[in-house]
Amino acid sequence: MRAIVAALAANLAIAVAKFAAFLLTGSASMLSEAVHSVADTGNELLLLVGRGRSRRARTAEHPFGYARERYFYSFVVAVMLFTVGSAFSIYDGVHKIMSPEKVDSPLVAFAVLFLSMVLEGLSLRTAIKEANESRAGAGWREFVHATKSAELPVVLMEDTAALLGLIFAFLGVLLSILTGNGAWDGGGSVAVGVLLAGAAFIVGYESKSLLIGEAATSETSASIVSALESGPDDFRVIHLRTVHVGPESLLVTTKIAVPPEMMASDLADAIDSAEVRIREAVPIAETIYVEPDIYRADRDDLTDPSIEVVQRSHTIRSRLPRPFSG
């Protein structure tokens, strides 16, 4: 939330300053940057709307709640980045390349660009600080791909693209002044548009993956398997299927092999205890479904891919069902 609010405040102030600079200078790069900041401001508002709507109570029509609203609005942000920011910047830049215009009052443009860099830098620093609390030493590329929180990657991509866009705009204005050719200003606008298109693609790709449903990380899956099999009832995991209903909500479904002599009442108590262990190990596992089955050595599903992934990732041995002791 802090990263979103910081980005919203920075982009709103920057948009006002850039529009004022455009009116004074007539720079195409400044106009594209102003539209970029307006789009970013709208994006942060959309992220806040998504967070608010995701907290609605479950209903009969949506029994798992509305947490995926956050993923939907992140995808909308990607569309906004492309249509409003990228398409407009490229169109206006091509127009200025074909019909170059002189940049007036360049000092105003440079002052606004410098102020924008400072504000965007502060916003990016806040986003990086928030991300560092959850990425646990992972690289930035891995974090953007693996995180189940849609908002932080969006803010990180926006702020990074904004800083690079400001550099392109600065170069466009500078080259226009040095060469006396306004086409360079249009070229800066096109560069900003291409940059935004790239950021929109990455945000859209990651948001789409979350929107259609991503499984828990291999570390989380290993914790669930360990919690299921660490009890006194000698459970063995056959299948494990997980999906993120939201950033802080995980759906867990699993089939377990149980001792054939176990009574139904004892089995119910054992499953309840197993669910408690899962939630202690993985607090975001809000909904858990456990299907018991009798162990059979000739099963066709003893090499379930999800369990193999857990084994490869964490060198967990003997996760597949095996004969019961006693």
Side-chain angles (χ1 to χ4, degrees):
M1 178 66 80
R2 286 194 295 268
I4 299 174
V5 172
L8 174 62
N11 285 318
L12 183 60
I14 291 170
V16 173
K18 286 177 180 176
F19 269 117
F22 162 70
L23 293 175
L24 292 172
T25 64
S27 167
S29 295
M30 290 306 304
L31 178 59
S32 65
E33 276 295 310
V35 173
H36 175 191
S37 295
V38 170
D40 284 352
T41 302
N43 292 341
E44 266 71 65
L45 290 174
L46 286 173
L47 293 178
L48 291 175
V49 170
R51 286 179 67 91
R53 291 180 62 84
S54 69
R55 295 170 181 168
R56 289 179 293 169
R58 301 178 183 182
T59 64
E61 187 176 5
H62 296 277
F64 294 108
Y66 293 84
R68 282 192 182 175
E69 289 260 19
R70 293 169 66 174
Y71 299 154
F72 169 75
Y73 278 93
S74 296
F75 187 80
V76 173
V77 164
V79 176
M80 288 276 289
L81 270 176
F82 182 78
T83 56
V84 178
S86 176
F88 179 84
S89 296
I90 293 174
Y91 168 80
D92 189 61
V94 170
H95 174 72
K96 289 297 175 69
I97 292 174
M98 297 176 65
S99 303
E101 297 178 7
K102 181 182 177 181
V103 176
D104 299 320
S105 305
L107 291 179
V108 174
F110 290 141
V112 170
L113 288 172
F114 176 77
L115 174 63
S116 300
M117 288 180 183
V118 172
L119 293 176
E120 288 287 4
L122 292 174
S123 176
L124 180 60
R125 186 183 68 172
T126 302
I128 291 174
K129 181 180 178 181
E130 293 295 309
N132 283 336
E133 294 179 2
S134 58
R135 69 188 183 105
W140 286 108
R141 181 178 179 181
E142 180 184 356
F143 169 74
V144 170
H145 180 68
T147 184
K148 309 305 178 184
S149 176
E151 294 89 353
L152 266 180
V154 170
V155 175
L156 285 168
M157 291 301 301
E158 278 188 358
D159 288 347
T160 302
L163 279 174
L164 292 174
L166 288 167
I167 294 174
F168 291 153
F170 174 84
L171 292 175
V173 175
L174 179 62
L175 290 173
S176 294
I177 295 169
L178 294 178
T179 63
N181 186 355
W184 285 104
D185 184 38
S189 180
V190 171
V192 171
V194 172
L195 177 68
L196 291 179
F201 174 80
I202 296 174
V203 172
Y205 179 83
E206 298 297 342
S207 298
K208 183 212 71 171
S209 181
L210 291 168
L211 189 59
I212 64 178
E214 281 191 3
T217 62
S218 56
E219 291 83 359
T220 301
S221 296
S223 297
I224 294 172
V225 171
S226 179
L228 279 165
E229 297 188 347
S230 62
D233 302 294
D234 211 12
F235 287 163
R236 299 291 176 264
V237 173
I238 301 172
H239 287 307
L240 177 66
R241 299 288 186 270
T242 60
V243 65
H244 269 270
V245 179
E248 291 91 27
S249 178
L250 185 66
L251 169 64
V252 178
T253 63
T254 181
K255 177 183 282 190
I256 59 172
V258 302
E261 69 276 6
M262 182 174 283
M263 300 294 292
S265 58
D266 295 334
L267 177 59
D269 292 338
I271 289 176
D272 288 341
S273 298
E275 291 181 357
V276 171
R277 294 196 302 273
I278 291 173
R279 290 192 173 95
E280 288 176 350
V282 183
I284 65 172
E286 292 186 351
T287 306
I288 303 172
Y289 295 110
V290 179
E291 178 186 355
D293 202 350
I294 302 300
Y295 171 79
R296 297 194 305 273
D298 60 344
R299 299 191 64 98
D300 293 331
D301 52 7
L302 294 185
T303 56
D304 178 58
S306 65
I307 305 302
E308 289 181 349
V309 169
V310 173
Q311 288 178 308
R312 290 196 302 269
S313 300
H314 300 278
T315 62
I316 294 178
R317 304 300 181 186
S318 303
R319 284 289 180 234
L320 300 178
R322 57 184 181 271
F324 293 95
S325 58

